[in-house]
Amino acid sequence: MKEIVNKIYYVGVNDRNKNLFEGLWPLPNGVSYNSYLIDDEKVCLIDTVEVDFFVQFLENIREVIGDRKIDFLVVNHMEPDHSGSLALIRKYYPDIKIIGNKKTFQMAEGFYGVINGLLEVKNGDTIELGNHTLSFVMTPMVHWPETMVTLENTSHVLFSGDAFGCFGALNGGVVDSQINTDTFWLEMVRYYSNIVGKYGTPVQNALKKLVGIRLDYLCATHGPVWHEYVEKVIGIYDTLSKYETEPGLVICYGTMYGNTERAAEVIARAASEAGVKNIVMYNVSKTHHSYIIRDVFRYRGLIVGAPTYNTGLYHEMDVLLSELAGRDIKNHLLGWFGSYGWASKAVTEIQKWNDEKLHFEVTGEPVEIKQSLTPETKTQCEALGRAMAERLKAV
Ligand code: FEO
């Protein structure tokens, strides 16, 4: 097993089988469920793994400690991709003490019927393992109510739960300095925006609690162990949780016969000619909304357009706007356009999403296209693209 530092071992597993994380989010590069084992006078496991991987997990643990007992299991997060092996670990190690907070234990009972052998900790509490000392910091709502993080104070390791995590299995290497990290950066943004994105304020509160603490290793529950890039990773989470963006524009559209797509092309060209360099465009029926959400977190400007369908909004656009509305995204600009063959609806439905849920700053005049682009609606599309460009430049 991989020793990270000073008898702290990686004992996690990789999932390259699942298509959709949480049944929702594509995993083109897989995902890892990270668990860590501290081999000291008292042996301590930090989090478990999804239950399907229990056999591999147990082998990993035994490779480090053989037949010795585990004294403690710290549960930083109860979501079942990490707590899933809790009940089985208890069967193999009946004397193990489970460390968590009050909310952890309510969930442990609810999910697994575990009610005994619990050791409750509060913010700032410490536990001595021998050469290692653990202290616990409560970080509620990152992104569940029971979430906490655990500091190992001798080697300055933070076991951070989902915080600082990202999608992507670990293909051999575990610590960032031993692997090519290129593929992980955008997947970190997609992971953050999709899974944690709604909880910017709790993430900011958690980051404030870590200010001034030396952190040499970030051991999250997904993705690489961060050592060389600790500062960069904290910076990414800080930026995203403040809803800070790069200059740029996301244009996404639904289209049935190409008319709405042509309008999107006109808008994009106008925005480009007005000076916007970062423009990404997506057909919402082709690209999974998790990638669009990711780019909305990266770029301040968003223009959406869709046809009317069944006298309502084109379904895939409705799904995207619903997902965006669920994330309380701040400091963004929105322009929109819509089309119809015989019943005008898309434009007013998009406006309703923004008025009632999204609350992005309205930018430019919405454009409505009946059946196909005309010289007049083409001019309106160009004006919308230019208005977004001008507003982006003024930010
Ligand atoms: Fe990776 Fe919130 O579970």
Side-chain angles (χ1 to χ4, degrees):
M1 274 298 102
K2 173 70 189 164
E3 183 176 5
I4 296 163
V5 61
N6 189 23
K7 298 215 160 207
I8 299 173
Y9 293 85
Y10 179 86
V11 290
V13 298
N14 289 301
D15 185 348
R16 299 185 189 85
N17 309 325
K18 198 178 265 100
N19 283 318
L20 297 174
F21 187 73
E22 299 179 343
L24 291 167
W25 315 109
L27 292 171
N29 308 324
V31 68
S32 67
Y33 309 117
N34 299 344
S35 170
Y36 304 92
L37 189 66
I38 305 174
D39 182 7
D40 204 331
E41 287 165 31
K42 301 277 186 194
V43 174
C44 182
L45 188 61
I46 311 280
D47 292 310
T48 72
V49 301
E50 192 167 292
V51 69
D52 292 358
F53 296 85
F54 183 75
V55 172
Q56 178 67 58
F57 182 46
L58 193 60
E59 272 178 31
N60 294 350
I61 291 169
R62 285 181 169 164
E63 200 179 312
V64 180
I65 57 168
D67 292 333
R68 288 166 61 208
K69 289 197 302 187
I70 304 176
D71 297 280
F72 298 114
L73 164 61
V74 174
V75 179
N76 284 322
H77 181 26
M78 271 301 296
E79 196 160 9
D81 51 336
H82 311 297
S83 69
S85 296
L86 196 150
L88 278 173
I89 277 287
R90 172 48 76 65
K91 280 208 188 320
Y92 281 80
Y93 298 95
D95 299 329
I96 197 169
K97 274 251 177 318
I98 298 171
I99 297 175
N101 58 63
K102 206 176 192 137
K103 291 197 170 97
T104 315
F105 297 149
Q106 290 164 0
M107 291 184 181
E109 181 178 2
F111 277 116
Y112 310 110
V114 170
I115 53 170
N116 296 317
L118 310 176
L119 179 57
E120 185 182 329
V121 290
K122 296 196 169 61
N123 194 60
D125 283 356
T126 60
I127 285 181
E128 301 288 340
L129 302 178
N131 295 317
H132 300 82
T133 309
L134 300 182
S135 55
F136 306 96
V137 180
M138 301 301 131
T139 55
M141 293 317 301
V142 180
H143 57 132
W144 275 29
E146 85 301 353
T147 46
M148 62 184 210
V149 298
T150 301
L151 279 157
E152 194 289 304
N153 298 306
T154 315
S155 303
H156 311 287
V157 176
L158 179 70
F159 301 102
S160 59
D162 281 346
F164 312 125
C166 67
F167 292 133
L170 300 176
N171 301 330
V174 170
V175 181
D176 59 359
S177 49
Q178 300 156 347
I179 59 183
N180 182 338
T181 55
D182 290 354
T183 57
F184 287 102
W185 300 115
L186 276 180
E187 283 296 80
M188 177 173 283
V189 180
R190 193 167 68 92
Y191 175 83
Y192 176 87
S193 56
N194 285 262
I195 309 297
V196 191
K198 181 180 173 64
Y199 303 99
T201 304
V203 171
Q204 277 294 304
N205 292 338
L207 289 173
K208 281 180 194 133
K209 287 185 178 174
L210 299 175
V211 168
I213 296 173
R214 178 174 159 188
L215 299 174
D216 290 348
Y217 295 86
L218 301 177
C219 293
T221 43
H222 301 287
V225 168
W226 301 108
H227 176 51
E228 192 178 329
Y229 292 110
V230 165
E231 211 172 308
K232 176 171 176 172
V233 169
I234 293 175
I236 289 172
Y237 266 70
D238 185 40
T239 300
L240 292 169
S241 58
K242 286 194 277 200
Y243 301 96
E244 287 179 358
T245 45
E246 303 165 43
L249 172 60
V250 181
I251 300 175
C252 49
Y253 58 90
T255 196
M256 288 189 283
Y257 304 108
N259 290 301
T260 319
E261 184 173 49
R262 273 182 215 115
E265 296 284 7
V266 171
I267 293 165
R269 178 64 49 80
S272 169
E273 286 176 356
V276 183
K277 286 188 177 167
N278 291 320
I279 302 176
V280 289
M281 295 184 72
Y282 295 110
N283 180 329
V284 289
S285 302
K286 165 85 186 302
T287 303
H288 190 274
H289 50 261
S290 68
Y291 294 90
I292 302 173
I293 294 167
R294 176 198 71 190
D295 283 349
V296 170
F297 270 74
R298 294 171 68 207
Y299 297 128
R300 186 161 200 169
L302 173 65
I303 296 180
V304 298
T308 300
Y309 196 85
N310 273 345
T311 65
L313 182 60
Y314 190 69
H315 176 70
E316 298 298 329
M317 180 57 73
D318 219 32
V319 170
L320 173 67
L321 294 175
S322 167
E323 289 289 354
L324 290 172
R327 281 167 175 73
D328 293 339
I329 299 166
K330 296 169 180 59
N331 307 322
H332 274 65
L333 313 172
L334 181 71
W336 65 92
F337 61 105
S339 63
Y340 67 99
W342 47 270
S344 158
K345 201 69 182 178
V347 163
T348 50
E349 286 297 307
I350 295 171
Q351 170 150 11
K352 207 161 124 195
W353 268 112
N354 197 47
D355 289 349
E356 294 177 5
K357 303 275 188 182
L358 281 167
H359 308 301
F360 286 13
E361 180 185 318
V362 177
T363 306
E365 286 293 323
V367 182
E368 183 165 56
I369 298 141
K370 183 178 180 185
Q371 290 151 2
S372 66
L373 270 182
T374 62
E376 190 189 355
T377 48
K378 182 166 184 274
T379 303
Q380 291 169 1
C381 286
E382 287 165 345
L384 175 57
R386 276 197 303 273
M388 178 60 78
E390 293 309 318
R391 186 67 188 91
L392 284 169
K393 275 192 269 180
V395 169

